[in-house]
């Protein structure tokens, strides 16, 4: 099996899905000739032609709006927003049309479409390039929100997203686009949407994260093991709908949980997970559920970025505090 980084895994998934189904079209700002700002679509226009991989004007609302029309009429559009911070002009289309079409038409129409975009900090980018706002989209009924953390998962999850009969927002953590490589099968495989992955079994505390924060969480888990603590590590993978069964099973076993995310703390995804776990596993908890997150501020410009992002040290400190509660 070839060793690919996350970016190349996304490219491979797009290429295979375009080969498999001629209804799949890929378009967005600079995704054609240039292959996108990060080269996620590199080579697709050359292989499939300008009718199936094309550039668009700088008009995010139009990109998503045309995808709605295509999807209703039998195509499978996979559109790219250049950066997560540029998706907001299309927010009206997403919340007013993309998310509602199945409900509005009483199931007569579905929208098999994917909206991809790089998101999050960690590469010292400019303003509007580094936001982590998955909670905004997870709050919208009718949309699936997916975030991979490894090349293997990126290929399998994107394939499932493209084959989904309903719209999917596929958020790609650009900090780890080229951070590491992993063996990725060239054969066709899918990873079910809505299923978390237990990366590491443990008995003392559950660590839940997704996207780029999985890197820091894995490092924190290694430090905790050196200290004699057995952490269970879960990659959420699908933010909405999330896998409550896997999370509950783990927290009922360990009795403690720390949730790690890059997005702002207030009203973040972690708040939803804490609420669910408290409501459904209250009698199993041996310590208050804890969060290690970004701050409830705009992410700083490059020189201050490292102070905003959750670090291995912050995760370890919060995990130790949770394990030692009332001891």
């Amino acid at each position: 099996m070839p060793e690919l980084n996350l970016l190349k895994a996304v490219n491979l998934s797009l290429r295979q899905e375009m080969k498999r189904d001629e209804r799949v079209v890929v378009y967005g700002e600079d995704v054609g000739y240039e292959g996108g700002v990060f080269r996620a679509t590199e080579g697709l226009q050359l292989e499939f032609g300008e009718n199936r991989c094309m550039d668009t004007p700088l008009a995010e609302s139009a990109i998503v709006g045309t995808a709605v029309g295509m999807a209703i009429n039998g195509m499978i559009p996979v559109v790219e927003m250049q950066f997560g911070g540029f998706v907001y002009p299309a927010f009206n289309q997403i919340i007013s049309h993309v998310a509602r079409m199945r409900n509005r038409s009483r199931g007569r129409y579905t929208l098999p479409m994917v909206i991809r975009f790089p998101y999050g900090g960690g590469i010292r980018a400019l303003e509007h390039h580094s936001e982590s706002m998955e909670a905004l989209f997870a709050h919208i009924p009718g949309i699936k929100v997916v975030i991979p953390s490894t090349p293997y998962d990126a290929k399998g999850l994107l394939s499932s997203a493209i084959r989904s009969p309903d719209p999917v927002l596929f958020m790609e953590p650009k900090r780890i686009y080229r951070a590491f490589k992993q063996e990725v099968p060239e054969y066709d495989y899918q990873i079910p949407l809505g299923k978390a992955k237990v990366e590491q079994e443990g008995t003392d505390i559950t660590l839940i994260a997704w996207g780029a924060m999985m890197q820091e969480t894995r490092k924190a888990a290694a430090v905790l093991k050196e200290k004699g603590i057995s952490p269970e590590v879960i990659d959420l993978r699908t933010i909405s709908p999330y896998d409550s069964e896997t999370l509950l099973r783990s927290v009922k076993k360990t009795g403690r949980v720390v949730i790690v995310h890059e997005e702002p703390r207030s009203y973040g995804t972690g708040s939803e997970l804490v609420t669910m776990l408290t409501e459904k596993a209250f009698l199993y908890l041996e310590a208050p559920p804890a969060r290690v997150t970004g701050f409830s501020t705009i992410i700083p410009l490059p020189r201050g970025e490292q102070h905003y992002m959750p670090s291995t040290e912050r995760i370890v400190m919060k995990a130790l505090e949770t394990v030692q509660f009332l001891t």
Side-chain angles (χ1 to χ4, degrees):
M1 290 187 289
E3 289 199 345
L4 303 178
N5 59 31
L6 194 146
L7 196 64
K8 293 294 186 182
V10 167
N11 182 275
L12 178 58
S13 182
L14 291 171
R15 176 173 283 106
Q16 290 184 342
E17 290 302 312
M18 293 178 79
K19 283 182 178 178
R20 183 188 65 84
D21 193 333
E22 63 181 12
R23 297 175 300 162
V24 177
V25 292
V26 173
Y27 65 97
E29 297 163 2
D30 296 321
V31 306
Y33 179 79
E34 293 289 343
V37 289
F38 292 99
R39 303 298 183 261
T41 57
E42 187 173 31
L44 297 184
Q45 187 178 87
L46 188 63
E47 182 171 352
F48 297 101
E50 294 184 5
N51 289 330
R52 295 192 61 203
C53 181
M54 67 203 85
D55 295 322
T56 68
L58 305 181
E60 289 80 9
S61 183
I63 292 170
V64 175
T66 55
V68 171
M70 284 188 178
I72 284 178
N73 286 282
M75 304 294 287
I76 304 176
V78 182
V79 300
E80 178 182 308
M81 306 284 104
Q82 204 165 67
F83 286 94
F86 298 167
V87 73
Y88 308 123
F91 199 79
N92 179 45
Q93 291 285 355
I94 293 170
I95 195 170
S96 299
H97 302 296
V98 175
R100 297 170 183 260
M101 193 57 66
R102 178 189 282 274
N103 182 269
R104 177 186 294 157
S105 66
R106 303 298 185 266
R108 182 179 178 186
Y109 297 115
T110 60
L111 294 184
M113 59 180 284
V114 179
I115 302 171
R116 299 178 39 250
F117 53 87
Y119 87 102
I123 66 167
R124 298 179 180 273
L126 303 174
E127 190 176 15
H128 301 305
H129 290 65
S130 301
E131 287 92 346
S132 181
M133 294 294 186
E134 53 266 40
L136 288 180
F137 303 103
H139 190 67
I140 304 171
I143 290 180
K144 299 172 184 175
V145 181
V146 179
I147 301 178
S149 73
T150 66
Y152 180 90
D153 283 1
K155 180 174 180 286
L157 289 168
L158 183 54
S159 177
S160 293
I162 293 171
R163 300 184 193 193
S164 170
D166 293 302
V168 178
L169 263 71
F170 197 84
M171 300 175 65
E172 299 164 7
K174 59 181 178 290
R175 181 185 182 186
I176 57 172
Y177 261 157
R178 296 183 174 90
F180 62 95
K181 292 183 178 181
Q182 183 182 40
E183 286 189 345
V184 178
E186 291 186 305
Y187 59 76
D188 180 35
Y189 68 93
Q190 291 81 50
I191 294 173
L193 305 184
K195 295 296 292 182
K197 175 172 65 175
V198 179
E199 277 204 358
Q200 178 179 309
E201 298 273 356
T203 57
D204 295 331
I205 187 169
T206 299
L207 304 179
I208 302 169
W210 52 90
M213 288 299 98
M214 284 301 300
Q215 278 200 307
E216 306 303 328
T217 302
R218 293 177 187 119
K219 294 175 185 175
V223 174
L224 291 171
K225 286 189 74 173
E226 291 175 359
K227 295 179 180 293
I229 296 168
S230 174
E232 183 146 300
V233 179
I234 297 180
D235 183 353
L236 191 61
R237 298 198 295 196
T238 300
I239 309 306
S240 178
Y242 63 85
D243 183 358
S244 59
E245 290 184 8
T246 296
L247 304 187
L248 282 167
R249 186 163 52 246
S250 176
V251 172
K252 286 179 178 180
K253 177 174 66 172
T254 66
R256 305 174 184 90
V257 61
V258 173
I259 299 162
V260 183
H261 63 70
E262 185 179 333
E263 61 185 292
R265 184 179 183 86
S266 299
Y267 305 98
T269 306
S271 300
E272 165 64 23
L273 299 182
V274 165
T275 300
M276 183 275 293
L277 292 169
T278 304
E279 288 175 346
K280 297 185 177 182
F282 181 76
L283 296 178
Y284 294 86
L285 293 172
E286 298 181 31
R291 292 172 290 163
V292 179
T293 71
F295 299 98
S296 298
T297 64
I298 303 297
I299 186 169
L301 289 172
R303 291 179 64 182
E305 192 178 55
Q306 72 274 17
H307 300 298
Y308 180 94
M309 309 280 288
S311 64
T312 300
E313 292 73 23
R314 284 174 59 194
I315 299 168
V316 170
M317 187 162 38
K318 183 58 70 174
L320 289 174
E321 178 185 312
T322 302
V323 169
Q324 293 163 4
F325 183 74
L326 293 182
T327 60

